[in-house]
Amino acid sequence: MAKPSPDSKTPYLLILPYFVLYFAFGLFPILFSLFISFTSWNGFSTMTFVGVANYVRLFFHDAAFYKALYNTALVMVCALPLSIVLGLLLAAMLKDYFDRSRNVFQLINFLPYITTPVAIGILFQILFDWKAGAVNSILLAVGIVKAPIYWLGHPWPARAVVVLLLVWQGFGYMMVIFLAGLSTIPAELYEAAKIDGAKWRDTFFRITVPMLRPVMTFVLTTGIIVGFRLFDEPQLLFSGEGEPIGGPDHAVETVVMTFYQAAFRDFSFGYGAAIAYGLFIVIFFFSFVAMRIVNRGNDYGT
Amino acid sequence: MAPRRYRAIPVYAAVVLVSLAAFFPFYAMLMMSTYVSEQLFTGVKLLPGAFLLQNLKTILAIHYLHFYANSLVVAATHTVAAVFISALTGFAFAKYPFRHKKLLFYFILGSLMVPPQLGLVGFVVEMKFLGIVNSLFPLILPGIANAFGVFWMTQYIAAAVPTEILESAKMDGCTALRLFLQIVLPIIRPALVTIFLLFFLWSWNNYLTPLVIISREALYTVPLAISMIGSEYRTDYAARILALAVSTIPVLILFAAGSKQLIRGLTAGSIKG
């Protein structure tokens, strides 16, 4: 632009609304939460300053927090690679083998991602109901199982249902991101490989996967960040009467569920805020490690 | 490159199978919403039943339309404001030099790492203090300043809007706001569509914020309502399933209309950077 003098007010006026709104409804609550995390407070009575007591309790005396972290990490470690691989394969296949019908398949596989997570939780609760659920009916009819499986009543089957739910919900999103990434790979690479007589499988592993490494980093780190926020689906999956929070033996209770329970059910605002900050520290650590791992692979790879 | 014909059959089969699996829960949901609850316990329903209208009456009787209107108001106002602010801020970062620009931009990027629940406790207290907990504002306001949106718009505007056009318009005495409204916005329409779809989706599906803030039933949004119908009308499974199915309609329409744009927009914007 015709170099307006750097002290011109215009750009500052343009970015002002963003920063005002961010400070008012983004940063202020975050800092305020940090302050609250050093207190004991139920939101109504007087606030008592307790120093780092909430954090000491969280990191050294709260087995439930670690169990929730374990649960969240476990379903993520299973679901994230599965949905990435499925999304990548589907994207590569759609790009190379489908032309006119590509849009239809894109939309169908993207549907789960746009469905309200609350609805997904309830829907899976109904589909996996041990008496009336469609899944057991089909398994029984085909003869894969002899007796109905009590999916949501035992810890490991319940976890499996959550993983399945997350893969179903997430692979279409991965597919769309990978399709976007695929379209930036120069076609000449594939043409050259084809002249050399490479098969689809070869080009997939030798060209597609290496070239998509930046996209992979992107989906992996955002996947971890989003994965640790898991709340709606498992919360609703076990929302029926008489069902324990977080499923059988708290097997699928996630960190955000623990946070919600502490802050907004038990009204321990101070402790709840500390859980949120504890989770933030963990997320930061994990996404840092993930980024390091993916980037290190890159150094050796090329 | 594709080795078509017979060799490709396994590939077609795999894609069709995965797509069927992806679609099955939807299909089951649609079918189940056309029966009465008692019938749902008698096996899988693969064909439509005859009770769609009856179930529709049931969900209308619990003011489902009212919750629907709440959700539409929240998602629409939030999204329009967020897209506008993102584009405006991105315009400044992409096309104007100013002091501390880098620093401010890194500040915005850094805030991307922060999970939204981090400030939730403080936010609830803030809303109570401001006296707006009994309105839809707590659902509209957060996230209007969206770091992802700004980052993305900055990249897009820097690449897509030619600086020469802006310069010549400025020579003619065009103000910054008019530049933005009349020149920049029309050029970046694909990016606006993409980001509108994503913001609308996230707002429409948001559950945790209304769950912890909204207590009056008159202010329920759709996700909150369907989670509550769950406990109050637990016996009427079929009506509940219909409510789930209906909750997806707005985003379904938006994405069906804009799915091509979405992929084109994602390609142009986020990935290259």
Side-chain angles (χ1 to χ4, degrees):
Chain A
M1 179 144 279
K3 298 268 171 196
S5 52
D7 57 350
S8 153
K9 286 196 191 83
T10 314
Y12 293 107
L13 287 175
L14 293 176
I15 64 171
L16 187 67
Y18 175 88
F19 281 97
V20 169
L21 283 165
Y22 181 69
F23 281 112
F25 304 113
L27 192 61
F28 172 74
I30 287 169
L31 296 176
F32 192 31
S33 290
L34 182 64
F35 174 74
I36 294 173
S37 75
F38 294 114
T39 68
S40 170
W41 192 37
N42 63 10
F44 303 101
S45 64
T46 41
M47 213 183 240
T48 337
F49 190 73
V50 295
V52 293
N54 286 326
Y55 290 97
V56 172
R57 178 180 154 201
L58 181 69
F59 284 114
F60 299 106
H61 303 289
D62 194 344
F65 175 67
Y66 285 101
K67 172 140 196 194
L69 266 181
Y70 168 74
N71 292 336
T72 319
L74 186 70
V75 291
M76 218 161 53
V77 163
C78 300
L80 202 53
L82 278 175
S83 47
I84 288 178
V85 170
L86 198 58
L88 176 61
L89 280 173
L90 203 63
M93 287 173 176
L94 279 181
K95 181 183 164 254
D96 292 336
Y97 289 91
F98 291 78
D99 211 17
R100 232 176 275 162
S101 53
R102 195 190 296 168
N103 280 323
V104 180
F105 285 108
Q106 260 172 36
L107 190 63
I108 289 177
N109 290 295
F110 197 60
L111 274 179
Y113 180 70
I114 64 176
T115 309
T116 311
V118 168
I120 295 178
I122 299 173
L123 183 63
F124 271 63
Q125 186 190 15
I126 293 166
L127 290 177
F128 281 90
D129 188 279
W130 77 282
K131 248 192 318 204
V135 175
N136 269 347
S137 312
I138 291 172
L139 289 179
L140 283 169
V142 180
I144 296 176
V145 295
K146 293 254 157 38
I149 299 173
Y150 196 16
W151 290 106
L152 301 176
H154 298 296
W156 286 100
R159 283 178 177 143
V161 171
V162 173
V163 169
L164 201 69
L165 183 157
L166 292 176
V167 173
W168 177 74
Q169 182 187 34
F171 82 92
Y173 165 78
M174 301 293 178
M175 174 199 71
V176 167
I177 300 288
F178 282 126
L179 273 170
L182 282 174
S183 66
T184 63
I185 301 178
E188 299 87 62
L189 285 178
Y190 290 103
E191 278 153 21
K194 197 182 160 196
I195 291 168
D196 294 342
K199 293 199 180 94
W200 188 83
R201 202 195 313 150
D202 302 325
T203 58
F204 179 77
F205 284 111
R206 298 277 168 80
I207 300 175
T208 309
V209 174
M211 289 298 281
L212 284 179
R213 187 150 247 151
V215 186
M216 215 75 94
T217 317
F218 173 77
V219 294
L220 197 62
T221 42
T222 52
I224 290 172
I225 293 172
V226 174
F228 270 115
R229 293 178 198 163
L230 185 59
F231 174 77
D232 303 11
E233 298 87 348
Q235 177 84 5
L236 268 302
L237 199 52
F238 298 97
S239 59
E241 271 169 62
E243 274 165 343
I245 295 152
D249 196 23
H250 298 277
V252 290
E253 180 170 327
T254 65
V255 187
V256 179
M257 287 162 85
T258 313
F259 159 73
Y260 168 71
Q261 194 68 24
F264 301 106
R265 287 271 133 153
D266 307 337
F267 293 105
S268 312
F269 275 24
Y271 194 57
I275 296 178
Y277 267 89
L279 176 63
F280 176 53
I281 294 165
V282 172
I283 292 178
F284 202 82
F285 176 75
F286 272 94
S287 33
F288 183 73
V289 169
M291 240 182 298
R292 283 300 289 269
I293 291 173
V294 178
N295 285 337
R296 188 189 303 153
N298 200 15
D299 292 340
Y300 294 117
T302 46
Chain B
M1 68 155 288
R4 272 159 218 279
R5 300 184 201 288
Y6 300 115
R7 281 242 213 102
I9 287 175
V11 175
Y12 293 132
V15 170
V16 169
L17 237 128
V18 169
S19 305
L20 279 178
F23 194 65
F24 174 72
F26 268 103
Y27 185 76
M29 171 166 76
L30 294 178
M31 291 306 118
M32 286 192 286
S33 67
T34 60
Y35 286 85
V36 285
S37 294
E38 292 75 38
Q39 293 173 320
L40 292 181
F41 292 94
T42 58
V44 193
K45 298 288 176 276
L46 292 178
L47 295 170
F51 295 92
L52 179 64
L53 283 179
Q54 188 191 318
N55 291 330
L56 207 56
K57 271 183 202 147
T58 311
I59 63 170
L60 289 181
I62 57 158
H63 314 297
Y64 195 64
L65 278 186
H66 182 81
F67 307 138
Y68 222 77
N70 284 343
S71 267
L72 279 176
V73 168
V74 168
T77 45
H78 166 86
T79 305
V80 169
V83 170
F84 185 82
I85 298 277
S86 299
L88 190 68
T89 317
F91 172 50
F93 276 108
K95 294 294 175 186
Y96 284 90
F98 55 94
R99 260 209 263 179
H100 305 306
K101 179 163 140 173
K102 265 220 169 106
L103 186 74
L104 289 170
F105 197 65
Y106 281 128
F107 175 77
I108 292 176
L109 280 189
S111 67
L112 265 175
M113 289 288 292
V114 179
Q117 302 93 4
L118 190 62
L120 195 56
V121 174
F123 183 71
V124 172
V125 178
E126 185 190 15
M127 291 299 111
K128 276 190 187 144
F129 180 77
L130 292 177
I132 51 175
V133 268
N134 280 321
S135 72
L136 292 173
F137 282 112
L139 308 182
I140 296 171
L141 291 172
I144 286 182
N146 189 304
F148 169 75
V150 172
F151 168 68
W152 210 66
M153 281 298 176
T154 305
Q155 306 280 93
Y156 196 91
I157 293 173
V161 180
T163 306
E164 302 79 55
I165 299 184
L166 297 175
E167 270 172 13
S168 64
K170 238 190 136 203
M171 296 281 197
D172 300 340
C174 211
T175 62
L177 197 63
R178 270 191 57 204
L179 275 183
F180 176 68
L181 293 176
Q182 296 184 344
I183 298 173
V184 177
L185 284 188
I187 296 178
I188 62 168
R189 237 183 70 185
L192 294 175
V193 171
T194 308
I195 220 160
F196 182 93
L197 289 175
L198 289 175
F199 286 180
F200 191 94
L201 176 71
W202 294 334
S203 175
W204 180 267
N205 285 345
N206 190 359
Y207 172 57
L208 189 55
T209 317
L211 179 66
V212 301
I213 288 196
I214 303 298
S215 50
R216 274 175 46 199
E217 197 179 310
L219 296 172
Y220 279 7
T221 56
V222 166
L224 197 56
I226 50 182
S227 73
M228 295 300 175
I229 298 172
S231 38
E232 288 162 30
Y233 297 82
R234 187 166 156 46
T235 40
D236 202 341
Y237 255 120
R240 192 182 177 193
I241 294 169
L242 181 64
L244 302 183
V246 174
S247 73
T248 314
I249 292 175
V251 282
L252 198 64
I253 294 173
L254 281 176
F255 275 80
S259 75
K260 261 191 208 166
Q261 287 272 30
L262 179 76
I263 296 192
R264 212 178 304 150
L266 283 173
T267 317
S270 60
I271 303 301
K272 274 184 198 159

